[in-house]
Amino acid sequence: MTVTVRAPAKINLHLGVGAPRPDGFHPLVTAYHAVGLCDDVTVADADTWSVHTKLPDWIDPGLLPADGENIVDRAAELLAGFHGVPRRGLVSVVKAIPVAGGLAGGSADAAAALVALDRLWDLHTSDTDLLRLAAQLGSDVPFSLVGGTALGTGRGELVTPLTDRGTWWWVVVPSPEGLSTPRVYRHFDELVPDAPERPPSADEVVAALASGDPYLLAAALHNDLELAAVDLRPDLGRLLERGEEVGALRGLVSGSGPTCVFLCEGADHAREVAGALTGPEHPVVLTTMGPVAGAHLVEYA
Ligand code: C5P
């Protein structure tokens, strides 16, 4: 049997970060938004366990984790352990989400692997248990299951769907080099030593989403990690300025970066902005839209 599950990249439309908790994680209030850049995870019956990853030519294979340390391996181990079944299967991950880019590509793969292996092994895991296992794999993994547009609290793992009346068009500019999420959070702590215990609320973005108006959303976009990401990578600051100069409603670092995203008025506008940003410094510029579904089955044979 072969099962393919697709899972989307995410953008944080609002990322409010508080002072680190005793466990080292930062409390978050975030508005997650799933966009149409997706990874596909295909699992098939096999006697042993193996994971193979296919990358587009513009993603550096050096950014991938070493064999056996992939979040897909951990997802499978966790699911198999939870049900007391052996971990076996042949897994193929076809990536289109930039690696180490702040778009939760690894989280998407973990969520897709959980759903695909649940089907392959005929486990019938409840939604509650899947979300709980997902949270153990990473702060963003529950959202990769849920998709759409949703509020994230806790360390990001507590997800509640939001009313979203828009179809939002984005230009996505990946960076050839990755940026480590823990490093960006550490730098945030250095730059903002007096961060509040309770992160800034997402109310403005929540209201803009309900209005469906891209100008309101552009004005409301907010990322507390942007300061740290741009300080570590000044080229991102220049890219954000350039995107707004060529007409994007607003540029924003995605999550912990280094991918930058630009909100546009619609599909044609996004294509224009993408065309203007494409060049020797940024040979790969993508356009996409959201919200889209979380991890979902696309093939079952
Ligand atoms: O949960 P996840 O494995 O994605 O987190 C990766 C790293 O990002 C953590 O080890 C931590 O350094 C940082 N992080 C954080 N606070 C969060 C989420 C992530 O400090 N809410």
Side-chain angles (χ1 to χ4, degrees):
M1 193 203 288
T2 301
V3 182
T4 301
V5 172
R6 180 165 294 166
K10 65 86 185 143
I11 293 173
N12 302 82
L13 305 176
H14 172 91
L15 182 50
V17 181
R21 313 188 305 198
D23 66 1
F25 283 93
H26 293 71
L28 303 182
V29 172
T30 186
Y32 287 118
H33 181 60
V35 296
L37 295 177
C38 295
D39 286 357
D40 282 355
V41 174
T42 299
V43 296
D45 290 314
D47 291 334
T48 54
W49 172 253
S50 59
V51 179
H52 306 268
T53 305
K54 284 185 204 149
L55 294 175
D57 56 8
W58 51 269
I59 297 182
D60 175 6
L63 292 172
L64 286 178
D67 273 357
E69 289 167 23
N70 197 303
I71 193 167
V72 170
D73 295 290
R74 292 205 290 118
E77 207 166 271
L78 198 63
L79 186 69
F82 180 69
H83 290 283
V85 299
R87 186 184 74 164
R88 52 169 84 114
L90 173 61
V91 182
S92 156
V93 182
V94 177
K95 292 202 70 72
I97 305 175
V99 178
L103 293 166
S107 303
D109 299 347
L114 284 177
V115 174
L117 292 170
D118 180 66
R119 285 293 181 107
L120 184 75
W121 296 337
D122 202 23
L123 298 171
H124 302 276
T125 315
S126 69
D127 286 355
T128 313
D129 285 335
L130 267 187
L131 286 167
R132 214 167 37 78
L133 295 174
Q136 290 177 47
L137 291 166
S139 307
D140 296 336
V141 183
F143 174 72
S144 302
L145 287 173
V146 172
T149 306
L151 193 70
T153 55
R155 61 179 166 90
E157 87 283 21
L158 307 172
V159 176
T160 319
L162 283 170
T163 301
D164 183 354
R165 296 203 172 82
T167 298
W168 313 103
W169 283 88
W170 301 94
V171 170
V172 177
V173 186
S175 167
E177 277 168 62
L179 193 53
S180 142
T181 299
R183 183 166 172 228
V184 175
Y185 272 104
R186 274 199 306 274
H187 199 49
F188 169 84
D189 293 338
E190 287 160 8
L191 293 178
V192 192
D194 53 353
E197 212 170 298
R198 283 166 53 135
S201 98
D203 291 353
E204 210 182 326
V205 156
V206 171
L209 287 165
S211 79
D213 180 340
Y215 287 88
L216 286 184
L217 185 62
L221 295 172
H222 175 84
N223 181 359
D224 276 340
L225 292 183
E226 187 165 288
L227 186 71
V230 169
D231 200 53
L232 291 169
R233 286 277 305 272
D235 57 307
L236 303 183
R238 291 193 291 276
L239 172 60
L240 293 174
E241 269 173 32
R242 173 96 186 105
E244 291 179 7
E245 270 164 28
V246 301
L249 302 186
R250 181 80 189 278
L252 189 77
V253 169
S254 180
S256 57
T259 304
C260 289
V261 296
F262 297 89
L263 180 62
C264 296
E265 277 175 27
D268 288 343
H269 184 216
R271 278 189 282 271
E272 270 173 41
V273 169
L277 285 176
T278 307
E281 223 183 317
H282 305 290
V284 177
V285 176
L286 310 163
T287 57
T288 190
M289 51 72 67
V292 301
H296 60 283
L297 198 71
V298 287
E299 206 175 322
Y300 191 67

